[in-house]
């Protein structure tokens, strides 16, 4: 899965550009996180034309961002388009749910 280590600078730049960003609060030892990765990989493989970015917050070493996003534990997913938060989930692993939320954010057109 293509993902980047979370940095505030990258997150801010993607938000300013109006991009879809999935913030993944992840731990290497977390089996639920691994299931989420498979769902996100599957979505990306089945939707190569849909653009979104995955920024990974390391649950063990990036505690300041865990607190900033109010993640109660690892396996927390937060979805943004621009500065609008679309979704907040803990331990969701079902592909159909993750795909549905990604589609909503990707397809969202702000009223001008």
């Amino acid at each position: 899965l293509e993902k980047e280590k979370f940095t505030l600078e990258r997150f801010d730049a993607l938000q300013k550009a109006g991009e879809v960003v999935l913030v993944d609060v992840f731990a290497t030892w977390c089996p639920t996180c691994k299931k989420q990765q498979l769902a996100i990989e599957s979505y990306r493989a089945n939707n190569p034309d849909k653009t979104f970015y995955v920024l990974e917050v390391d649950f063990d070493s990036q505690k300041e961002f865990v607190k900033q996003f109010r993640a109660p534990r690892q396996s927390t997913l937060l979805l943004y388009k621009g500065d609008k938060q679309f979704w907040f989930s803990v331990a969701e692993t079902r592909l159909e749910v993750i795909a549905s939320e990604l589609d909503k954010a990707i397809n969202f057109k702000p009223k001008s």
Side-chain angles (χ1 to χ4, degrees):
L1 176 63
E2 277 181 49
K3 51 187 176 175
E4 304 171 48
K5 183 177 176 73
F6 183 91
T7 67
L8 206 46
E9 297 76 23
R10 181 69 170 142
F11 182 62
D12 289 346
L14 289 168
Q15 282 196 305
K16 282 188 180 84
E19 297 291 353
V20 175
V21 180
L22 181 65
V23 176
D24 179 7
V25 181
F26 182 86
T28 54
W29 47 264
C30 166
T32 303
C33 298
K34 288 182 177 64
K35 287 181 185 164
Q36 289 175 327
Q37 300 303 298
L38 293 173
I40 297 163
E41 281 175 24
S42 178
Y43 178 84
R44 195 179 298 275
N46 291 321
N47 299 278
D49 56 322
K50 294 185 179 177
T51 302
F52 67 100
Y53 297 84
V54 180
L55 299 182
E56 183 179 281
V57 172
D58 185 298
F59 181 77
D60 296 312
S61 68
Q62 292 184 296
K63 291 295 188 187
E64 70 275 22
F65 299 123
V66 172
K67 283 190 183 109
Q68 176 182 324
F69 288 113
R70 294 185 171 90
R73 64 188 188 100
Q74 74 287 351
S75 78
T76 300
L77 299 174
L78 302 97
L79 185 62
Y80 295 85
K81 183 166 190 175
D83 60 0
K84 178 178 174 19
Q85 184 176 326
F86 271 77
W87 188 51
F88 180 99
S89 171
V90 179
E92 180 57 69
T93 59
R94 292 170 294 173
L95 172 59
E96 62 273 16
V97 174
I98 293 170
S100 171
E101 296 302 330
L102 280 164
D103 282 342
K104 282 181 207 168
I106 289 167
N107 297 326
F108 177 77
K109 303 281 186 259
K111 293 179 177 81
S112 42

